[in-house]
Amino acid sequence: MATNALAGTSLSMRSLLPQTQAFTSISGLRSASISSFGRKNVSFSLQPRSIRLKISCAAKPETVEKVCKIVKKQLAMPETDVVTGESKFATLGADSLDTVEIVMALEEAFGIAIEEDSAQSIATVQDAADLIEEIVQKSS
Amino acid sequence: MIFLDLPSIHISSLTLYSVLYLEGAMSAAASSSATPSAAQVLSLFRSLLRAAREFPDYNIREYTKRRTIDSFRHNATLSDPSQISTAFAHGKSQLAVVKRQAVVYSLYDSPLRSVMELQQVPF
């Protein structure tokens, strides 16, 4: 799924007189700003905004499956217990130390390095799988 | 014929363990700081596990990992701020020791690998 966000740009005009202050902003396809300080020193600038393209994709089923196996092994869960993509680590009985261990095990299994701030955002198996897919795609 | 994976290095495992213990104990006693946050503790835990990976020898690597996990689990019940600070300082000193020892071990790395590191058992 790809979402294409075209950020609208703004025309802003500021007039700084001794008595009054006025500020106007108009959205458009380009960004322009007009500044007037008293009667002199008028500046004008036109800046095009960059187009932002955001791509988000769900992890492959085999990646999720592999993550589930690692989580089960790390938490010493019996084979009968079911772990899915929606399973939260906290619900599975993992504390903060367990979560760090799981992340480290995932790093070794997939041959990647997960940054500390990214690791803290992982709450579910799906989160972990998505992050792994993202890192693998970046590295390849 | 099976070859035993004996580390052919100048520093024995026993020396490493005693160095780990003594250096950690001395620096932990010397330093006293504010109580660390949960994020700092987890960061130290992660750093120690990462540093443990650097050991080329399987036995030392696994020992360091296991010892790290066991120590953090053991100290998870601490509630006294001074004890937490002491344990944290001890952990930081251990991290420095582990990093140094990993470098030393890599200098005397043996080409032989432990049978535990084999991906597929041939029998």
Side-chain angles (χ1 to χ4, degrees):
Chain A
M1 184 182 72
T3 59
N4 195 344
L6 251 177
T9 55
S10 61
L11 175 69
S12 58
M13 189 166 64
R14 185 191 293 265
S15 175
L16 293 173
L17 297 173
Q19 294 86 8
T20 61
Q21 285 189 7
F23 182 79
T24 311
S25 180
I26 305 163
S27 290
L29 291 175
R30 288 282 183 273
S31 175
S33 62
I34 303 168
S35 302
S36 174
F37 300 95
R39 293 179 185 274
K40 298 174 184 178
N41 301 331
V42 178
S43 67
F44 181 85
S45 66
L46 190 68
Q47 297 171 332
R49 292 267 180 100
S50 60
I51 296 169
R52 295 175 193 167
L53 184 67
K54 186 182 177 182
I55 300 169
S56 60
C57 57
K60 294 173 189 172
E62 53 265 32
T63 306
V64 178
E65 186 66 32
K66 193 174 178 182
V67 172
C68 288
K69 281 183 182 177
I70 291 164
V71 169
K72 283 181 80 169
K73 185 185 174 185
Q74 204 66 42
L75 298 176
M77 294 171 70
E79 287 295 320
T80 52
D81 287 11
V82 179
V83 178
T84 61
E86 287 72 40
S87 302
K88 287 187 177 181
F89 294 144
T91 313
L92 297 172
D95 58 11
S96 55
L97 292 177
D98 284 320
T99 307
V100 172
E101 283 184 61
I102 288 165
V103 170
M104 299 299 287
L106 291 172
E107 282 187 350
E108 286 185 17
F110 289 92
I112 56 170
I114 299 171
E115 290 177 18
E116 205 163 318
D117 53 350
S118 301
Q120 287 171 355
S121 65
I122 297 171
T124 66
V125 171
Q126 189 66 51
D127 290 343
D130 290 343
L131 183 62
I132 288 162
E133 286 281 330
E134 190 183 321
I135 293 167
V136 169
Q137 280 179 3
K138 277 182 185 176
S139 61
S140 61
Chain B
M1 186 181 285
I2 298 169
F3 292 94
L4 291 175
D5 181 19
L6 298 172
S8 57
I9 50 177
H10 301 315
I11 298 174
S12 67
S13 300
L14 185 61
T15 310
L16 171 68
Y17 305 152
S18 58
V19 165
L20 281 170
Y21 182 78
L22 289 171
E23 282 199 28
M26 284 190 291
S27 64
S31 64
S32 59
S33 59
T35 309
S37 64
Q40 284 177 303
V41 173
L42 290 175
S43 179
L44 177 63
F45 182 58
R46 190 179 284 107
S47 298
L48 276 161
L49 291 179
R50 280 192 196 280
R53 285 180 186 170
E54 301 304 313
F55 283 107
D57 185 83
Y58 172 84
N59 295 307
I60 304 296
R61 188 166 64 243
E62 290 304 310
Y63 167 81
T64 311
K65 278 186 196 174
R66 190 174 68 251
R67 181 67 197 274
T68 299
I69 293 163
D70 290 348
S71 298
F72 273 76
R73 291 250 172 249
H74 177 72
N75 290 330
T77 55
L78 292 177
S79 55
D80 181 34
S82 64
Q83 285 185 324
I84 293 168
S85 296
T86 305
F88 184 72
H90 180 71
K92 281 178 80 174
S93 67
Q94 295 285 67
L95 176 61
V97 173
V98 167
K99 282 180 177 177
R100 283 200 300 275
Q101 290 297 323
V103 172
V104 172
Y105 268 76
S106 64
L107 293 173
Y108 301 102
D109 186 19
S110 169
L112 294 173
R113 285 285 163 258
S114 171
V115 71
M116 298 296 287
E117 291 179 276
L118 293 174
Q119 294 296 318
Q120 293 179 332
V121 181
F123 46 82

